[in-house]
Amino acid sequence: MNKVTDAREAVADIRDGASLAVGGFGLCGIPMDLIDAIADRGVHGLRVVSNNCGVDGWGLGVLLDAGRIARMTSSYMGEHAEFGRRFRSGELEVELVPQGTLAERLRAGGAGIPAFYTPVGAGTDLASGGIPLRHAPDGSVAAHAPAREVRVIDGAEVVLERAITCDFGLVHAAVADTVGNLVFHSSARNFNPLCAMAGRITIAEAESIVPSGTLDPDHIHLPGIFVQRVVRARATTPKRVERRAVTAP
Amino acid sequence: MTGTSGAKADARKRIAARGAQELREGMYVNLGIGIPTSVPSFLDPDVSVVLHSENGLLGIGGFPAPEDEDPDTINAGKEPVTLAAGAAVFDSALSFAMVRGGHLDLALLGGMQVSATGDLANWRTAGKLIKGMGGAMDIVRGARRVVILMEHTAQDGGAKLVRHCTLPLTGKGVVDRVITELGVFDITGQGFVLRELAPGTTADEVRGRTDAPVTVDMRRPWGAAWN
């Protein structure tokens, strides 16, 4: 078994309207080379699940700015100006999800749990269905996210959340072996293992690729059963820092 | 204008310094964006706590020198940080399992409005650009104790301690305590209870700038150490 291929080949069957679970938190741990390869393919109408959507001109921002994304599922749009503009003008549908709920929905999708109850969002307009999902061109709210089923378990209100699975999972790892076992580095792990689990076909880019049998099985963070294709990340692709603390001690 | 912004900076500093006293030896703590971010600089060096970052870190250290930055090691504000001795890294699902599962002792967060029943609004205002709730809804629901650090009134002078929140909620009945530049307030079955009054203010001033009943049941002077 050898899952190693190149980025262009790895994304060749991603078509218009595909759903993608994309790892990363801000610009940390994002699969930048895979994003670039998808941008080169010129596909449209992508439905992307990712905690954030990059920044203007970097990360998923590359696809967003080019109008390739129709729908985002995210917890935070941050300071990405184009993301906000497209959302408010109705060009982009955005499902806002609490960050932990997003992580668990992806994990559940990969773990075969179709839905779960969580206390997060109980008593807020997440549960009652008041968070804007889509705007009209004039900026008014055209659709709200649907209300969640709510029930009381052990005396506390909880809301039903559905699992997320996607056509493709796109992740970034520090090290992969040739059969797709992955090792992540530091906080670049974030959503990557969960997006890998939630993808029906998962493509991992890795900073280095080692032969199968090289990694200590005790030190593998994500087993290769969740990864179908492995791509070597370009050494020339920079890792960007989104923000720096104002004062260094 | 300089005087106004100076007073604002002083208020925020005072809130952060008092907020730091909520941290006790051995606690696992999540610090939100805003005033809570500056709490570590007021922390007693003899108190050792473990700082949690929602993106998958336990044991955040200080900020690195520019040449030591690792773009793979960032905090929830997306700034490069270092890892303290004993730190651990993990994925986002495990990070929020810690949060929801009641394993965090304390969360210090910013706020826009807090109600007399402990409802918190801090993620979006009506009509303005929505950025998203990030991890705030999870953290307020999951942390064992939630303390809000915020200025007592809004920019326009409007009350932020209110009977009922008018802004969309982050969590319902989740706040235990609010610290402002005027005092320390516990949320009880009887609404806001003033526990500490800041120097130079009075209970009447506090009541005048609060849009809900305030019961006075002082426990100690401002900033006095816990026994």
Side-chain angles (χ1 to χ4, degrees), chain A residues 28 75-77 79 88 96-101 118-119 122 125 130 185-188 190-191 194 239 243-245, chain B residues 54 63 69-74 77-80 91-93 96 100 124 129-135 138 141:
Chain A
C28 181
S75 84
Y76 192 70
M77 288 181 257
E79 324 305 329
R88 283 192 312 278
L96 286 169
V97 180
Q99 192 176 151
T101 297
T118 172
D125 66 359
H185 175 237
S186 196
S187 65
N190 56 60
F191 280 84
L194 312 164
K239 289 182 185 178
R243 198 175 299 156
R244 285 183 171 79
Chain B
E54 62 187 16
F63 294 111
E69 271 179 7
D70 172 7
D72 285 347
T73 305
I74 63 169
K78 286 135 189 163
E79 300 158 340
D91 69 52
S92 301
F96 282 94
R100 273 191 315 269
R124 76 180 209 258
L129 171 59
I130 302 178
K131 291 184 174 179
M133 67 288 277
D138 312 85
R141 182 53 69 180

